[in-house]
Amino acid sequence: LESSAEEETASAPSATPGKALGKAQRVVSEALRLEQLLNDLLEFARSGKIERSVVDPGQILQDCVELAGEEKIKVTRSEAPDSWSLDAGRMRQVLGNLLRNAVQASDRVEATVSTRAGKLVFVVRDHGEGFAEDSAGELFEPFHTQKTQGTGLGLAVAKRLVELHGGTIGARNADGGGAEFRVEIPAG
């Protein structure tokens, strides 16, 4: 009885360690993707409250740039105000999303913060392919994405958070190529 069990085990096909590792990595990758999707959905559903405080908008932009890929991003904050009333955490979400998208689209990104007509203005511009003109109206819709790994919620959440600040967010194809996203936040 023992020898037949040993023979069955020895003759049973076994998965190669590399193949098993590859499957395990795919399972982990999918689990992480689903976790991100769930987190994005929850964030989209609960992003109804902001807590403003007086912060340095130039520093918020700089913090986000450092996380997104500082070596690819040229920052201009010389015209930034010293302070503005914002929910710093929520604005970091907005800018972080815009910067990550830009870095994924291009090796060269520009990010600026300034004031215009009494509004705080953040601009993030990449030098990638831009987006199809007919999709401009859909960019901020939930689940709209052109990425294979994207959830399509990042820009929808960003729009909602900007609107909670009483502001606007828009996108256009930049002159000379690439995409440009502009966030405007009134004094509050």
Side-chain angles (χ1 to χ4, degrees), residues 41 66 104 140:
L41 281 169
E66 289 171 9
Q104 289 171 2
F140 298 99

Side-chain angles (χ1 to χ4, degrees), residues 36 40 64-65 67-69 72-73 92-106 109 124 126 147 154:
Q36 183 62 49
D40 288 349
C64 293
V65 164
L67 292 173
K72 292 183 176 183
I73 304 170
R92 281 186 180 94
Q93 284 179 264
V94 171
L95 296 172
N97 181 274
L98 296 177
L99 289 165
R100 280 189 304 277
N101 288 349
V103 166
Q104 289 171 2
S106 171
V109 175
V124 175
D126 67 58
K147 299 178 189 176

Side-chain angles (χ1 to χ4, degrees), residues 28-147:
V28 169
S29 176
E30 280 302 300
L32 291 172
R33 189 184 68 78
L34 290 172
E35 179 184 29
Q36 183 62 49
L37 176 61
L38 180 59
N39 287 339
D40 288 349
L41 281 169
L42 291 172
E43 184 60 36
F44 186 72
R46 72 172 171 242
S47 60
K49 183 179 178 191
I50 61 168
E51 295 181 22
R52 286 181 179 246
S53 61
V54 177
V55 297
D56 178 350
Q59 188 59 53
I60 289 174
L61 178 61
Q62 188 64 48
D63 294 345
C64 293
V65 164
E66 289 171 9
L67 292 173
E70 186 173 17
E71 64 283 348
K72 292 183 176 183
I73 304 170
K74 178 185 174 196
V75 179
T76 304
R77 45 187 267 197
S78 58
E79 296 181 33
D82 292 333
S83 62
W84 204 267
S85 178
L86 296 170
D87 184 319
R90 299 298 191 159
M91 196 51 56
R92 281 186 180 94
Q93 284 179 264
V94 171
L95 296 172
N97 181 274
L98 296 177
L99 289 165
R100 280 189 304 277
N101 288 349
V103 166
Q104 289 171 2
S106 171
D107 285 338
R108 195 176 74 178
V109 175
E110 294 142 21
T112 63
V113 58
S114 62
T115 54
R116 298 280 186 265
K119 295 180 181 177
L120 181 67
V121 179
F122 291 101
V123 177
V124 175
R125 181 189 181 208
D126 67 58
H127 292 267
E129 296 179 18
F131 51 86
E133 289 295 334
D134 60 344
S135 71
E138 300 171 342
L139 289 175
F140 298 99
E141 294 298 318
F143 305 110
H144 176 80
T145 185
Q146 296 175 343
K147 299 178 189 176

